[in-house]
Amino acid sequence: MAKVKIQNYIEPFVSPPVLQKVFYLLILVSNSLLITLIHQDTRLHTPMYFFISVLSMLDMCYTTTTVPQMLVHILSKKRAISFARCVAQMYIFLLFGIIEYCLFSIISVDRYVAICHPLRYKVIMSPWVCLLMVGICAAYGVLGGLSYTFFAMRLPYYGPNENDHYFCEVPAVLKLACEDTSLNDLVNIITGFNVIVVPLSLIVLVYVNIFATIMKIHSAQGRIKAFSTCTSHITVVTMFAIPCIIMYMSPGSDSLSNSGKKMALFYNIATAFLNPVIYSLRNKDVNRAFLKLVGRGRAPE
């Protein structure tokens, strides 16, 4: 396969570069801070916060695969990326993105055990079980990323090619192929079903059981408290899932419209920025850990 240069057109939507730098730095700082708090405060050494710390690491990783290159393209007149780097960016982005999406379903299972089987929570969600779950997510990411990337790279590409997107993403790269991509569309739908729809279906099924259990709680305050432990996760999943379904399960050019590209930018940058905010804003345990870290003692109960 010949090596080509792929031009990434950066529209005014993603500039000025100062704004991109600020968002990227905030993503790194906020997620690093959340990981530090979880690591240092023993009260946060629970399965839920372990999964949240893994989520923060994934946010930093998959954002780093795209945002620095976008900043280079914004600041440079030569907005090009080599074919090999484009393939690497595409695979790594898919790898971390699929692992994160799979992790959302694991977090929902954690919430199910905590709410529906609280007395057995520590036994069921043991450290080894948590590590095994993260390992399954990692394997899911490796296989899913390879499936998308392998079938995209088996097609011939002849330069010069112009990638009308903010970064190298499968739907955009397939538009540059010199052969029919109907097989790839089918593979993408099948793979998308396995790595997007199946985990989402598990999340929905789990939350149906969680809500059924919550409604059996006699105390209204108890129901509100139980439901509040799930709202953060539901919000994050919604922000991440909808754009992914539109981008990777809509064959053709719909996902490459201006709105589609902005949506890709949203789940690439905005969700990584909002995740630590959503998981910590109303979380008393995280607030206490932060005040303890900065030397302000304990937060009010």
Side-chain angles (χ1 to χ4, degrees), residues 171-234:
V173 173
L174 287 179
K175 297 293 291 183
L176 308 177
C178 300
E179 284 187 4
D180 178 60
T181 61
S182 55
L183 175 61
N184 294 78
D185 291 336
L186 178 61
V187 169
N188 290 349
I189 291 176
I190 294 173
T191 306
F193 180 83
N194 287 303
V195 302
I196 297 176
V197 177
V198 170
L200 183 61
S201 300
L202 175 61
I203 292 171
V204 172
L205 179 63
V206 167
Y207 273 110
V208 167
N209 285 274
I210 289 176
F211 293 150
T213 301
I214 290 176
M215 295 308 296
K216 294 178 182 178
I217 300 175
H218 298 291
S219 167
Q221 185 177 0
R223 288 197 297 269
I224 293 173
K225 184 177 180 181
F227 181 75
S228 66
T229 64
C230 304
T231 53
S232 298
H233 182 243
I234 293 173

Side-chain angles (χ1 to χ4, degrees), residues 131-153:
L131 289 173
L132 176 62
M133 288 179 168
V134 173
I136 292 173
C137 291
Y140 220 57
V142 170
L143 294 176
L146 281 175
S147 177
Y148 276 117
T149 308
F150 172 78
F151 282 95
M153 292 304 102

Side-chain angles (χ1 to χ4, degrees), residues 3 64 100-101 133 152 170 198 207 275 280:
K3 292 184 178 180
T64 300
E100 176 161 336
Y101 195 85
M133 288 179 168
V170 171
V198 170
Y207 273 110
N275 277 354
S280 62

